Amino acid sequence: MSDEHTYKLIYFNARGRAEHIRYIFAYTGIEYTDERIPEELWPEYKDCKREESIFTFIVQLSAMPYRKLPVLEVDGKPVAQGNAVAPYLARKYDLMGKGKWDELICEVLVDTLEDLEQDDMGGLRICSGP
């Protein structure tokens, strides 16, 4: 499947909060760069800046919005919050089902993955990394 955009997913070297985004890329066959940041380098990454032209001014913006991961760069523009990114990709690649009920079930599954990652379900940790 070809895609008109370039994607780079930035996260730690773990499954965690980026895994459902990786599942979408794997299922659709969309090529992307999977950048894994070592935890010890995170302080440097979260404070890095990028330049962007807004009207006639060049401004410095955070390369890591909200100083949180995961970040998905779409054509070089960073977007944070994995639970917003995943539904965007799912809608874009027609993975949200055939109606509002199917969309709801997809959102429930994403939130369940998040719960499992955060250990909110009585000690069950099947999505966390090494």
Side-chain angles (χ1 to χ4, degrees):
M1 176 182 262
S2 68
D3 185 42
E4 66 276 8
H5 296 289
T6 59
Y7 297 108
K8 177 165 65 169
L9 180 62
I10 305 167
Y11 194 64
F12 300 110
N13 190 21
R15 293 182 299 262
R17 295 176 186 234
E19 197 65 7
H20 57 308
I21 298 167
R22 291 187 189 111
Y23 289 158
I24 291 169
F25 284 132
Y27 183 81
T28 60
I30 299 296
E31 290 188 30
Y32 71 105
T33 301
D34 189 8
E35 184 173 323
R36 307 282 181 118
I37 298 174
E39 280 190 60
E40 63 272 10
L41 297 180
W42 174 235
E44 295 172 38
Y45 273 82
K46 74 178 174 182
D47 292 326
C48 70
K49 301 287 184 193
R50 65 183 173 87
E51 289 187 353
E52 186 170 305
S53 177
I54 299 178
F55 304 110
T56 59
F57 301 98
I58 301 290
V59 296
Q60 288 220 337
L61 302 170
S62 175
M64 297 292 136
Y66 312 114
R67 300 172 72 189
K68 296 184 89 170
L69 293 178
V71 166
L72 180 67
E73 287 187 3
V74 181
D75 299 328
K77 295 184 179 184
V79 180
Q81 302 296 0
N83 286 346
V85 167
Y88 162 79
L89 291 171
R91 283 184 191 90
K92 182 171 178 57
Y93 297 106
D94 198 27
L95 300 175
M96 292 295 281
K98 297 185 193 281
K100 295 296 181 186
W101 180 258
D102 290 348
E103 286 184 24
L104 173 64
I105 297 305
C106 289
E107 298 278 356
V108 166
L109 292 172
V110 168
D111 285 349
T112 300
L113 284 173
E114 181 77 11
D115 288 344
L116 290 170
E117 194 280 327
Q118 289 185 15
D119 196 20
D120 287 339
M121 299 185 74
L124 185 61
R125 290 185 67 85
I126 62 170
C127 294
S128 62

